[in-house]
Structures are given as structure tokens and as C-alpha cells.
Amino acid sequence: MADTYEKLIEDSIEISAPVDKVWSLVTDIPAMAKWSPQVVKSTVKGGVVKKGATFTNLNKQGIKRWPTAGKVVRFQPPAGATPGDFAFRIRENRTIWSFELEATADGGTRLTERRETPDGISGVSMLLTKVVLGGQEPFTDELRRGMRQTLERIKAEAEA
């Protein structure tokens, strides 16, 4: 169905770098433009990334550009066996994007990126996705490919 969406999109990658190094990368919101193929620029209000921090994004698809606003809703650094959890909610569509970091036995990190929709997706975003961004299924496929690209780029930087 053209008007349905996937409630959860996720992908994981193994990184040969410690969790604290990967944590410093994924919580650097302004750097997301280096990794995510959809993000052009991100600016954190006040410059400090922490729970409650707000930021703006400029996103892209081809020649199309659109702004979004985000708020950090989870900011739990990794500690020992406790995984790290960093998440932000996008105001316009109500989605939550997150990164979970788990230490691996070999001293590396398993990084999982998710897009969740616990409150659904706003009607305006559903309509814009259908009319402007190519429809839910193609856009979801694009998000999935972008997620993989983001994880691979973070891995490359963490392992450099």
C-alpha cells in the first residue's frame, strides 16, 4: 500500500574501534552531514549535544532541499557492559532516529542505527513523502540505503 510505512528500519555494523570513540562520532550532530547521504548541514542550538538539546537539519534528495528540527531524547553514554544509547526526535514527522553502541568481546563496537515511529508519522510528512519524495516504499528504500551508507562511513572514520 502506498500510504503505509515501516514502523522500524534498522541496520548494524561491527566497528574495530572502542565504544567511547564511536560514541564521540555518533553524538557529533554537526558531523552527520559527512556520513548521512540525506543530511546537508546540522546546527545544534547552543553547540552542546546532550539530552534536551535541539538542532536544525537541512536535508536533501537530489536537487530537493528541506529543513527539519530535532531534539535529543536519549543520551546515555556507554558504561562498562551497559550499551550507549543516543536518540533524537524529528519534529516534523515524529520519527525517532537512534544509535545503540555495544562493546564487542574483541574491544570493538557493534553500532545499530534505527528509525522508529512510536507515534506514527505525521499526516503532512506522509503527504509530502507521497507527493514530493517519491512515495513511502521508494523513500523507505532510500532511507535504508542511506542508513547503511551512514554506518559504513562512521566505521571508516572510527577505524582510521
Side-chain angles (χ1 to χ4, degrees):
M1 290 196 207
D3 291 340
T4 62
Y5 60 90
E6 290 186 42
K7 293 181 179 9
L8 174 66
I9 303 169
E10 79 174 14
D11 197 355
S12 296
I13 198 164
E14 299 285 327
I15 300 174
S16 296
V19 290
D20 58 336
K21 181 174 186 180
V22 178
W23 175 260
S24 70
L25 295 175
V26 300
T27 58
D28 184 353
I29 291 173
M32 198 54 66
K34 292 191 299 187
W35 305 310
S36 171
Q38 189 180 75
V39 177
V40 175
K41 184 177 182 179
S42 297
T43 306
V44 178
K45 185 175 182 183
V48 179
V49 178
K50 60 183 180 181
K51 187 172 181 181
T54 58
F55 60 95
T56 57
N57 282 328
L58 179 61
N59 299 312
K60 69 177 178 179
Q61 182 193 60
I63 61 169
K64 295 172 248 177
R65 302 284 187 271
W66 67 95
T68 58
K71 181 177 183 177
V72 176
V73 294
R74 295 192 307 264
F75 190 91
Q76 181 62 54
T82 304
D85 182 25
F86 175 64
F88 50 88
R89 178 183 293 272
I90 301 300
R91 182 180 63 206
E92 290 76 8
N93 60 20
R94 302 192 303 243
T95 61
I96 295 178
W97 287 83
S98 65
F99 292 93
E100 181 181 76
L101 298 83
E102 298 174 89
T104 58
D106 62 1
T109 305
R110 179 173 176 79
L111 178 62
T112 301
E113 183 178 5
R114 293 183 180 95
R115 193 230 36 200
E116 305 165 71
T117 58
D119 301 315
I121 295 178
S122 70
V124 169
S125 287
M126 292 289 289
L127 178 63
L128 289 172
T129 299
K130 181 178 180 179
V131 174
V132 179
L133 299 176
Q136 285 301 323
E137 190 173 326
F139 188 64
T140 299
D141 289 344
E142 184 178 324
L143 291 177
R144 190 174 282 107
R145 286 190 306 276
M147 189 177 280
R148 171 52 38 186
Q149 216 173 10
T150 299
L151 291 170
E152 289 173 352
R153 289 173 177 175
I154 291 170
K155 174 183 171 75
E157 182 150 339
E159 293 178 352

